[in-house]
Amino acid sequence: MDRRSFIKKAGATGAGAAAATTLAAPAIAQEMPQVTWRCSSGFPKALDTIYGAAEVFADAVAEMTDGNFTVQVFAAGEIVGALEGAAAVTAGTIEMAHTASYYFWGQDPTFAFGTGVPFGLNQRMTNAWLYEGGGMDLLNEFYETQNMIAFPAGNTGAQMGGWFRNEINTLEDMQGLKFRIGGFGGRIIERIGVVPQGLPGGDIYPALERGTIDAAEFVGPYDDAKLGFNKVADYYYYPGWWEGGVALLNMINLDAWNDLPDIYKGIVKNASAMANSVMMARYDTLNPQVLKELAASGTQLRPYSQEILEACFEAATETYAEIAAENEMFKRVHDSYMGYRKDAYLWMQLSEYNFDTFLMLQQRAGRL
C-alpha cells in the first residue's frame, strides 16, 4: 500500500482521527529526511548483472523512502577506480561502494572472506554463514577497523574456471602459465607454478588476444560472453575453485552509516538483501542459455583434472595456515568460515546432493 494512502486512511477512521492525521505526517517527515549518497560500483555498466545489483539496491531504497533517500550509482572509474572502492569508503570520499571485498586482500587477507576464498563456501552456504552463522557480525568487526560496515548485496554463484588458449591436463601444463585471476586465488595458484596476472575486466580481452596472457577467468557464461573471451580462447574450464560462491557487498562509510536515522538503516539492510537475491536469480536465469550458445559456437568445455584440483586444494590449505599464524583476525574469521563449511557439507551430501545428481542424470538422458 502507498505510504501516503495508508496514513490518510489510518487517520480517517476511529476516535481521535483528526489528531492522528495532524501528528503522523510531521513525524514521518522527520524520520524521512533528504539524503543523497554516492555509490561506486566495482564493475562497468556493460556487466548488467553485477553492476545492475547496485541499481536494484538504489531503486529499492528510493521506493521505500518515497524518493527521500537517493543512492547515485557510478560505474567503475567514473568517480573511483574498480580497485579503489574500499579506500574511498574508508576515507569518506564516497558514502558506499558495491564491490567484491576480496579485491582488497593485498591490504589485509581478511578482506577475502567477505567475498569468498578458494575451496570455500558455495552460494547457499555463504548466505547461511553471513546471515545466520555469525559471519557478517564477525566480518563487521574487521570492517569497523577500516571505518566501514558492510552488508551482502549480490552473489554470482560458483564461477567458471577460466578461458585457456590451449588445453591443460596436468600440473606440468600449468607451469609458467600466465593466468589472469582475481582475488585471493592468485596467491594460491602461484604455489603450483602459475604466474598470476592482475588485470581489470576491460583489459582482459586484448591481453588474451595478443597472447600477453595464456588464460583468464572472470565470472561465468553470461558475463564472459559479453566480454568476448570465446572469440580469443577455445577452452572453457570448470569449476572456478577459487570462487565457489562469490558474495558482493555494500561497503558503507561508518560515519555516513551512523548519521542515518534508524528507519533508513533498516531500509539499507533490506534493500541490500533484495539485491543479493535478485542478482543470483538473474545469473541462474541467464547463464544456462548463454552456455548452450557458447557450446554451439565451438567453445570446448573442460573440467579441471583431479590432479590439478588436489594440488590447488593443498596449496590453499597451506596458505591459510601460514596467514592464520601471523594474522589474528584472519584466523578468527577463517576458523568460523571453515568450521561452517565442514558442517554444511555434512548436510549437503545427503538430500541436496542426491536429489540434484538424480535430476542431472535425467537431464543428460534427455528426460527433462
Side-chain angles (χ1 to χ4, degrees), residues 352-368:
E352 290 285 343
Y353 174 77
N354 285 283
F355 178 78
D356 287 345
T357 300
F358 175 79
L359 285 175
M360 288 172 188
L361 291 173
Q362 305 316 303
Q363 195 273 344
R364 290 183 183 184
R367 296 173 182 162
L368 296 186

Side-chain angles (χ1 to χ4, degrees), residues 273-290:
M274 181 178 178
N276 192 27
S277 178
V278 168
M279 182 174 161
M280 190 69 257
R282 286 179 175 173
Y283 272 120
D284 282 342
T285 301
L286 295 166
N287 278 330
Q289 183 58 43
V290 177

Side-chain angles (χ1 to χ4, degrees), residues 45-160:
K45 289 181 180 179
L47 298 179
D48 55 334
T49 40
I50 301 183
Y51 176 85
E55 293 184 317
V56 168
F57 165 78
D59 289 345
V61 168
E63 184 176 358
M64 286 188 275
T65 63
D66 250 3
N68 288 309
F69 188 175
T70 302
V71 178
Q72 300 171 332
V73 181
F74 298 88
E78 289 186 342
I79 50 176
V80 298
L83 306 181
E84 298 168 356
V89 170
T90 296
T93 306
I94 54 176
E95 288 77 19
M96 64 176 291
H98 178 257
T99 189
S101 180
Y102 70 11
Y103 281 171
F104 317 110
W105 74 271
Q107 180 179 336
D108 187 313
T110 310
F111 270 107
F113 289 104
T115 293
V117 297
F119 299 102
L121 303 174
N122 67 20
Q123 182 265 336
R124 276 184 55 185
M125 294 176 192
T126 296
N127 271 350
W129 178 68
L130 290 173
Y131 286 125
E132 297 293 330
M136 206 63 247
D137 290 338
L138 191 55
L139 283 170
N140 275 326
E141 283 187 43
F142 167 69
Y143 292 134
E144 186 176 3
T145 68
Q146 311 296 315
N147 194 36
M148 65 174 73
I149 188 171
F151 302 102
N155 202 297
T156 69
Q159 295 190 5
M160 290 291 283

Side-chain angles (χ1 to χ4, degrees), residues 272-310:
S272 296
M274 181 178 178
N276 192 27
S277 178
V278 168
M279 182 174 161
M280 190 69 257
R282 286 179 175 173
Y283 272 120
D284 282 342
T285 301
L286 295 166
N287 278 330
Q289 183 58 43
V290 177
L291 183 62
K292 289 191 291 184
E293 293 169 1
L294 288 171
S297 68
T299 293
Q300 301 295 308
L301 295 170
R302 295 286 189 274
Y304 279 118
S305 69
Q306 193 68 16
E307 178 191 18
I308 291 173
L309 290 175
E310 290 282 359

Side-chain angles (χ1 to χ4, degrees), residues 226-247:
K226 271 182 168 285
L227 295 177
F229 299 152
N230 57 304
K231 299 174 183 176
V232 288
D234 292 331
Y235 298 97
Y236 200 17
Y237 276 80
Y238 61 91
W241 47 263
W242 51 92
E243 294 177 315
V246 177

Side-chain angles (χ1 to χ4, degrees), residues 236-276:
Y236 200 17
Y237 276 80
Y238 61 91
W241 47 263
W242 51 92
E243 294 177 315
V246 177
L248 283 299
L249 298 180
N250 279 334
M251 308 179 88
I252 300 169
N253 176 270
L254 201 54
D255 297 323
W257 172 255
N258 289 333
D259 285 343
L260 289 180
D262 287 344
I263 191 170
Y264 279 6
K265 290 178 179 178
I267 286 169
V268 167
K269 291 179 182 178
N270 282 285
S272 296
M274 181 178 178
N276 192 27

